[in-house]
Amino acid sequence: MSFLEWNDDHKVGVKEVDEQHQKLFDMLNDLHQAAVNGSEQSVLAAILDEMIDYTVYHFKTEEDLYIKYNFPGYENHKKVHDALTGQAVELQQQFRDGSATISFDLLDFLHGWLVDHTTGLDKEMGPFLNEKGVY
Ligand SMILES: [Fe+2]
Ligand SMILES: [Fe+2]
């Protein structure tokens, strides 16, 4: 069983977004597997970097959809994305300067974040975009 199981409850009902979420789940599973295997911090940091980059790209995809279709929750959702990005960049900095290590606590935090965000706030977009003909 993977660290993070993808299932239909995680779907928001918009293909592009669901595919990106699934990729984020895969990336976190890879990071977890590398940690379980005892990989060096530099290897873990490289995977985490890639995951953070992909998250920023993913947030942009969602925000572009919200702008394009005039989603009323845009401002709030953008604020949450910006706060998460800020946290991620701070973490990245700490790993780079060696003041923090990639731990199972961090993995648990990322696990919670990914599940909460995809099954929480992200779910709002499904019915709204579906109504606009976006699936
Ligand atoms: Fe998302
Ligand atoms: Fe989001």
Side-chain angles (χ1 to χ4, degrees), residues 12 17 20-21 24 55 58-59 62 66 77 81 113-114 117-118 121-122 125:
V12 300
V17 173
Q20 292 183 1
H21 283 162
L24 284 169
T55 302
H58 165 64
F59 285 169
E62 285 187 7
Y66 298 158
H77 205 129
H81 282 172
W113 164 69
L114 207 48
H117 194 71
T118 51
L121 202 54
D122 279 353
M125 83 176 83

Side-chain angles (χ1 to χ4, degrees), residues 41 44-45 48-49 52 88-103 106 110:
Q41 282 291 318
L44 301 179
L48 185 67
D49 263 355
I52 290 173
V89 169
E90 212 174 291
L91 274 170
Q92 224 172 6
Q93 204 48 53
Q94 289 170 0
F95 297 131
R96 282 188 185 148
D97 68 22
S99 63
T101 52
I102 296 167
S103 62
L106 173 75
L110 292 172

Side-chain angles (χ1 to χ4, degrees), residues 48-86:
L48 185 67
D49 263 355
E50 216 180 299
M51 192 184 159
I52 290 173
D53 284 351
Y54 193 74
T55 302
V56 170
Y57 164 76
H58 165 64
F59 285 169
K60 179 88 171 66
T61 302
E62 285 187 7
E63 288 160 15
D64 286 350
L65 279 169
Y66 298 158
I67 292 168
K68 187 170 176 194
Y69 293 98
N70 258 316
F71 178 56
Y74 169 73
E75 294 285 338
N76 179 48
H77 205 129
K78 170 99 171 82
K79 256 186 227 162
V80 174
H81 282 172
D82 287 350
L84 283 166
T85 305

Side-chain angles (χ1 to χ4, degrees), residues 10-22:
H10 297 121
K11 282 190 179 169
V12 300
V14 177
K15 192 169 175 272
E16 189 180 19
V17 173
D18 285 330
E19 282 174 358
Q20 292 183 1
H21 283 162
Q22 205 163 349

